[in-house]
Amino acid sequence: MIVTDTHTHLYSDAFDEDRKAMMERAINANVTRFFIPAIDSSYTKAMLQLEADFPDYVHLMTGLHPTSVKENYKAELRHVEDQLSQRKFIAIGEIGIDLYWDKSTLDIQIEAFKHQIRLAKQYQLPIVIHCRDAFDEIFEVLETEKSDDLFGIFHCFTGTLGQAEHAISFNMKLGIGGVVTFKNGGVDKFLNQIDLKHIVLETDSPYLAPVPYRGKRNESAYIIRVLEKLSELYGLSQEKIAEITTENSKAIFKV
């Protein structure tokens, strides 16, 4: 069984004390494919070090996270462009709109989101979308940028069935993580109405740990709890869920 974590911040300082042991726990649990989203330039060095330490397992994205879209966002976007010109990345992410922390930056968040979507098209890469309190705004941007070469993952999907179907209509897979195990997460109520071909697994480590670890530091090994929940919801073996969702990740990331 091969399990894919399509979204995990393994370079986070939350893992500085036990990163190697944490990776070993994941690999021993058959989690052997780790896709690493960017936040901003301050994390680039740590991401490159992670890749150097675990080259057979780790795949890097580049991008500017919406909560890092500040006054210097144009310089940060230039950093993304520089990175893309220097080496290969697996995706542009995580990018999008976050209105939970700061609504005042909406205009420049939209500008940065659109700019990075266009970079993804230029480099023929998928996008990985961060959406918090911003489904309408995200869909509006995707509508304006819609094309055959726009595709990717709607990371940490927590919306409704209608929003899930809308996201899928833009060639997006749904990233399903620990929230599906939460009592009031909501996604578990309708997820089995979505064909598994549209689903990928993720942890968003060190955030959003699944039950029974909720509230603690998340890590990639805990994706097995997400796998167990989907096995229950879809009435399929964990091996089958892992196989389908890993194939879906290969279709997106081309590795």
Side-chain angles (χ1 to χ4, degrees), residues 96-158:
I97 301 173
D98 188 313
L99 298 180
Y100 177 81
W101 295 106
D102 188 354
K103 293 181 173 66
S104 71
T105 58
L106 175 59
D107 289 348
I108 57 174
Q109 285 192 51
I110 289 172
E111 185 183 332
F113 187 26
K114 287 183 175 180
H115 184 80
Q116 292 180 97
I117 288 173
R118 290 163 191 167
L119 284 175
K121 291 178 181 180
Q122 179 184 335
Y123 285 90
Q124 298 179 301
L125 292 173
I127 61 171
V128 173
I129 297 173
H130 172 104
C131 173
R132 193 164 186 193
D133 292 355
F135 276 104
D136 291 346
E137 291 81 1
I138 292 275
F139 287 144
E140 195 172 318
V141 170
L142 293 179
E143 191 63 48
T144 65
E145 298 295 329
K146 185 166 61 174
S147 61
D148 291 341
D149 54 355
L150 173 65
F151 67 105
I153 295 172
F154 218 106
H155 148 62
C156 189
F157 184 81
T158 55

Side-chain angles (χ1 to χ4, degrees), residues 6 22 27 32 36 38 40 66 71 105 134 137 149-150 187 247:
T6 61
M22 177 271 297
I27 292 163
T32 54
I36 313 297
D40 57 42
E71 297 80 9
T105 58
E137 291 81 1
D149 54 355
L150 173 65
V187 187
E247 285 306 309

Side-chain angles (χ1 to χ4, degrees), residues 21-244:
M22 177 271 297
M23 290 293 287
E24 286 172 356
R25 284 193 292 274
I27 292 163
N28 289 338
N30 298 311
V31 189
T32 54
R33 291 160 48 81
F34 306 88
F35 293 86
I36 313 297
I39 295 173
D40 57 42
S41 62
S42 68
Y43 294 93
T44 300
K45 184 179 177 183
M47 291 177 71
L48 293 172
Q49 186 61 54
L50 177 74
E51 181 188 52
D53 291 342
F54 303 98
D56 297 333
Y57 302 103
V58 160
H59 307 277
L60 301 186
M61 309 179 204
T62 186
L64 179 61
H65 191 292
T67 61
S68 290
V69 176
K70 309 288 187 189
E71 297 80 9
N72 69 334
Y73 76 100
K74 289 185 177 176
E76 285 287 344
L77 290 174
R78 282 194 297 274
H79 175 73
V80 174
E81 292 170 1
D82 289 345
Q83 290 284 293
L84 287 165
S85 70
Q86 290 169 21
R87 51 155 293 161
K88 189 178 188 306
F89 288 91
I90 213 76
I92 309 286
E94 58 190 283
I95 65 175
I97 301 173
D98 188 313
L99 298 180
Y100 177 81
W101 295 106
D102 188 354
K103 293 181 173 66
S104 71
T105 58
L106 175 59
D107 289 348
I108 57 174
Q109 285 192 51
I110 289 172
E111 185 183 332
F113 187 26
K114 287 183 175 180
H115 184 80
Q116 292 180 97
I117 288 173
R118 290 163 191 167
L119 284 175
K121 291 178 181 180
Q122 179 184 335
Y123 285 90
Q124 298 179 301
L125 292 173
I127 61 171
V128 173
I129 297 173
H130 172 104
C131 173
R132 193 164 186 193
D133 292 355
F135 276 104
D136 291 346
E137 291 81 1
I138 292 275
F139 287 144
E140 195 172 318
V141 170
L142 293 179
E143 191 63 48
T144 65
E145 298 295 329
K146 185 166 61 174
S147 61
D148 291 341
D149 54 355
L150 173 65
F151 67 105
I153 295 172
F154 218 106
H155 148 62
C156 189
F157 184 81
T158 55
T160 64
L161 176 60
Q163 287 166 332
E165 290 168 340
H166 201 176
I168 290 165
S169 76
F170 293 110
N171 296 326
M172 297 295 148
K173 306 287 188 200
L174 306 181
I176 302 299
V179 174
V180 76
T181 70
F182 296 175
K183 186 176 181 184
N184 298 312
V187 187
D188 59 312
K189 305 295 189 291
F190 65 80
L191 194 62
N192 63 2
Q193 296 176 55
I194 303 288
D195 193 303
L196 264 176
K197 70 183 180 183
H198 301 302
I199 304 294
V200 292
L201 305 185
E202 62 169 65
T203 58
D204 202 19
S205 307
Y207 315 107
L208 293 173
V211 174
Y213 308 107
R214 189 175 183 183
K216 299 189 169 100
R217 183 192 75 172
N218 199 6
E219 59 180 77
S220 285
Y222 296 169
I223 202 170
I224 299 303
R225 300 300 181 191
V226 179
L227 189 62
E228 289 170 354
K229 185 65 177 180
L230 264 65
S231 174
E232 174 191 318
L233 292 174
Y234 282 93
L236 295 170
S237 69
Q238 290 179 43
E239 289 77 11
K240 193 64 181 172
I241 300 282
E243 177 191 338
I244 293 170

